[in-house]
Amino acid sequence: MKEQLAQIKQQAMEALQQAQTPAQLEELRVRFLGKKGALTAVLKQMGKLSPEERPVMGQLANAVRAEIEEMLEKQKAAAHAAALEAKLAAEALDVTIPGKSVALGHAHPMNQVLQQIKDLFVGMGYQIVDGPEVELADYNFTKLNIEEGHPSRDRSDTFYFNDDDTVLLRTQTSPMQIRVMENAKPPICILAPGRVYRKDEADATHSPMFHQIEGLVIDEHITMGDLKGALVTLMKKLYGEEAVMRFRPHHFPFTEPSCEMDMQCHKCHGTGEVDGQVCSTCHGEGWIELLGAGMVHPKVLEGCGIDPEKYSGFAFGMGLERMAMRRTRINDLRLIFDNDVRFLNQF
Ligand code: PHE
């Protein structure tokens, strides 16, 4: 019996040493310590022993059981640790692998130019204001001294919302002049960028939606000199000190006198020719039209409750896309709205 116990112990220890998984260990526990296991089988023979031998064998059997149990626990812990280690190794993150780069966008080239223009005017003391794109004909036309029947009010040029032509998509940012003057007292110094709409087919230089930037300055003693100063400053900042400007008489119903400002063509330097060919940038004109401007008409001031005897002011309106095209040297307006990232990524 003593030999049997010693043998069980030896077999159990060897088997336990080699077991690696919790399942294998459980199998060995049943085999050696279970109800039908090897040790139990030996203990069942205790009855055959003499009364003196029984406690000795009993003690020995218990000692073997304890040793096997201890080894079993030790191996279980080892198997558990090994399993955990394997799991961790399998799940390990390699923090040295370069990450997937996130493509960061940037401001649209048109908005880059808008931001630059806004910054320049804010630097000159202008306040940026915003207004409705769905506008009353009263503000878009009538209060700007554009009478009923004026060709610019025609249904073929303007998107109207109703049959009596009282509500429309603004065709210019000039109604912002009225909205500001009706609500503020001079001195007034604002810049109003925004979308405008006209019934134009889209081509290289036209789009049914485009952007304008309106400027308005009203105070005592404001003259055409102030207008020229502000606009020439802007253009030289945008296009460089060497940029050459000219002011040409024009007509707008809401300014008197009115003018347009042109910039000398940077390609042909005003000659209208490049290598004996008609300049493609200015179409041989030598100048490129940039904006409309003028001194606010006394009738418009009066209509907004501002005394034209005391106050005067200037207004200007420029096309943002045109400015952006000149800055970025692109020749087709549609590129600005297509949102083709191959184009946009160049800026
Ligand atoms: N609103 C005019 C246009 O769209 C431009 C303009 C603005 C002219 C302000 C004079 C003063 O053509």
Side-chain angles (χ1 to χ4, degrees), residues 38 80 91 100 127 160 193 217 220 232 279 347:
H80 193 76
E91 287 176 357
K100 280 186 192 157
Q127 197 186 337
Y160 285 100
V217 173
E220 290 179 49
V232 170
C279 176
F347 303 99

Side-chain angles (χ1 to χ4, degrees), residues 172 174 177 198 212 214 252 254-255 292-293 315-317:
Q172 50 183 353
S174 297
Q177 293 183 31
R198 290 180 196 176
Q212 282 190 336
E214 194 83 7
F252 296 106
F254 40 94
T255 46
F316 58 85

Side-chain angles (χ1 to χ4, degrees), residues 168-304:
L168 43 74
L169 284 173
R170 66 179 178 190
T171 62
Q172 50 183 353
T173 44
S174 297
M176 286 307 293
Q177 293 183 31
I178 307 299
R179 290 191 171 273
V180 169
M181 286 192 284
E182 280 186 348
N183 289 296
K185 293 206 157 16
I188 289 168
C189 191
I190 61 101
L191 194 74
R195 293 188 190 89
V196 300
Y197 302 83
R198 290 180 196 176
K199 281 191 181 170
D200 280 324
E201 294 287 337
D203 64 20
T205 52
H206 294 87
S207 158
M209 185 283 294
F210 58 103
H211 296 75
Q212 282 190 336
I213 303 176
E214 194 83 7
L216 176 72
V217 173
I218 310 279
D219 203 351
E220 290 179 49
H221 315 300
I222 298 289
T223 71
M224 202 96 182
D226 298 305
L227 166 65
K228 288 180 82 170
L231 293 175
V232 170
T233 302
L234 169 73
M235 296 307 159
K236 292 205 179 240
K237 284 266 164 56
L238 277 183
Y239 298 118
E241 281 303 317
E242 62 284 356
V244 179
M245 254 69 62
R246 79 172 178 193
F247 288 81
R248 195 165 32 75
H250 199 74
H251 171 77
F252 296 106
F254 40 94
T255 46
E256 183 58 37
S258 304
C259 63
E260 280 193 331
M261 188 178 80
D262 302 334
M263 185 163 84
Q264 197 175 76
C265 179
H266 60 93
K267 197 82 166 282
C268 65
H269 301 286
T271 62
E273 270 182 29
V274 179
D275 301 331
Q277 303 273 342
V278 173
C279 176
S280 61
T281 303
C282 63
H283 307 292
E285 293 288 318
W287 295 86
I288 297 161
E289 183 195 316
L290 285 182
L291 55 83
M295 300 306 291
V296 179
H297 199 293
K299 265 173 90 172
V300 175
L301 289 175
E302 215 159 16
C304 296

Side-chain angles (χ1 to χ4, degrees), residues 93-146:
L93 279 181
D94 183 349
V95 294
T96 65
I97 293 174
K100 280 186 192 157
S101 59
V102 178
L104 259 193
H106 59 72
H108 189 285
M110 187 190 74
N111 280 321
Q112 291 176 23
V113 175
L114 173 60
Q115 194 53 51
Q116 209 179 355
I117 294 172
K118 284 206 262 185
D119 283 350
L120 285 166
F121 277 105
V122 166
M124 292 193 276
Y126 286 62
Q127 197 186 337
I128 312 288
V129 297
D130 200 10
E133 289 170 30
V134 176
E135 185 56 283
L136 298 170
D138 245 9
Y139 284 80
N140 195 83
F141 296 127
T142 315
K143 289 170 187 256
L144 285 165
N145 198 29
I146 304 171

Side-chain angles (χ1 to χ4, degrees), residues 142-161:
T142 315
K143 289 170 187 256
L144 285 165
N145 198 29
I146 304 171
E147 288 158 14
E148 297 277 346
H150 189 279
S152 70
R153 300 181 74 134
D154 204 283
R155 296 203 126 235
S156 62
D157 295 330
T158 305
F159 292 103
Y160 285 100
F161 283 94

